[in-house]
Amino acid sequence: MSTNRTDALRVAVLASGRGSNLQAVIDAIEAGTVQANLVAVISNKKEAPALERARRHGLACLFVDPKPYAGRPDSREAYDRELLDVLRQHDVELVLLAGYMKIVTRVLVEAFANRMMNIHPSLLPSFPGLDVQKKAIEWGCKLAGCTVHFVTEGVDEGPIILQAAVPILDDDTPDTLAARILEQEHKIYPRAVQLFAEERLQVAGRRVLIKDGKPAGESVISPS
Ligand code: GRF
């Protein structure tokens, strides 16, 4: 789908760890299935493998150290103000949280309202937070999955953009289930970015409508 844009969407990724979702976005951009320019990869962890991945692809990567802010009553907001400066310096239009293990504050949420996405490994609103694959197994769920959503101040609460479901098998461990979910994460996150780049996401209250598209939900209920 064509838009009125003549230049590619400027995207930044915030990541704290492994960076496999970052890699999926990089691969999709390099393959041409996502039309975007990844202008910065930023981490709060100096040794994050995500930064190394970015380096390997010649992308600008930055470590923004949270330590100078530790102990201040407004440490999280002050840190986010520094991030906001960096994002503005790079003219970022869309921010992707990809395994970013810090809760973002109002400072970033307001500056990037409906322009900041997160990927979460559960079918929200079930199981926000951490260790969610283990929680889904222990609850006895038959389906699990992942969710791409816009970021609001409530953790894992923002309007849902895309979801994919996978089965939970009797012999699943949190690790085997996480791997099955991750395969889907790597598909729906780049897809959500491309929908944004095509200006097809329309937020209506809690709902995200996809213009000229198929329904947002997607079920992958076969493990193969
Ligand atoms: C993913 O499972 C994502 O859903 C969650 O954190 C994990 C990050 O993995 N928010 P990676 O760093 O992208 O490999």
Side-chain angles (χ1 to χ4, degrees):
M1 169 174 278
S2 65
T3 70
N4 295 327
R5 299 184 66 108
T6 51
D7 52 337
L9 175 76
R10 296 177 70 82
V11 177
V13 172
L14 302 189
S16 304
R18 172 178 64 177
S20 72
N21 278 289
L22 164 69
Q23 188 69 55
V25 171
I26 293 172
D27 292 347
I29 290 173
E30 289 183 355
T33 51
V34 169
Q35 271 106 42
N37 188 1
L38 191 41
V39 293
V41 175
I42 304 169
S43 185
N44 59 326
K45 300 277 182 201
K46 196 170 185 183
E47 308 299 335
L51 288 179
E52 184 46 40
R53 288 183 195 262
R55 249 175 245 125
R56 278 205 296 270
H57 289 264
L59 299 169
C61 47
L62 296 107
F63 160 59
V64 179
D65 192 354
K67 266 210 208 86
Y69 303 102
R72 283 171 54 162
D74 67 337
S75 64
R76 287 172 47 221
E77 287 79 6
Y79 182 76
D80 279 0
R81 274 193 285 276
E82 180 173 347
L83 282 189
L84 185 55
D85 282 346
V86 173
L87 294 168
R88 285 192 170 138
Q89 280 158 21
H90 288 82
D91 290 324
V92 170
E93 297 169 281
L94 175 68
V95 178
L96 304 177
L97 308 185
Y100 181 60
M101 299 304 286
K102 231 172 164 335
I103 295 173
V104 293
T105 67
R106 179 187 295 248
V107 173
L108 282 185
V109 170
E110 285 180 357
F112 284 93
N114 295 337
R115 297 193 298 134
M116 178 159 46
M117 295 179 182
N118 181 42
I119 178 112
H120 181 76
S122 81
L123 292 173
L124 290 170
S126 293
F127 309 115
L130 299 174
D131 296 328
V132 294
Q133 299 90 347
K134 182 167 181 276
K135 287 176 187 161
I137 293 171
E138 285 176 357
W139 193 262
C141 298
K142 300 298 183 192
L143 289 174
C146 49
T147 303
V148 180
H149 62 93
F150 282 119
V151 177
T152 54
E153 273 194 83
V155 175
D156 300 328
E157 275 183 16
I160 291 170
I161 302 166
L162 291 176
Q163 292 186 306
V166 301
I168 297 181
L169 307 180
D170 288 349
D171 57 356
D172 262 331
T173 64
D175 284 346
T176 59
L177 178 57
R180 190 174 309 121
I181 294 171
L182 199 60
E183 257 181 60
Q184 300 307 317
E185 294 185 36
H186 296 165
K187 292 181 184 161
I188 67 170
Y189 214 1
R191 202 173 295 159
V193 177
Q194 179 59 14
L195 288 170
F196 187 98
E198 291 174 356
E199 299 173 353
R200 290 171 62 191
L201 300 179
Q202 190 183 329
V203 182
R206 276 217 50 88
R207 302 185 71 198
V208 180
L209 308 177
I210 300 183
K211 288 190 263 173
D212 312 316
K214 288 185 293 184
E218 173 163 330
S219 292
V220 186
I221 50 172
S222 150
S224 57

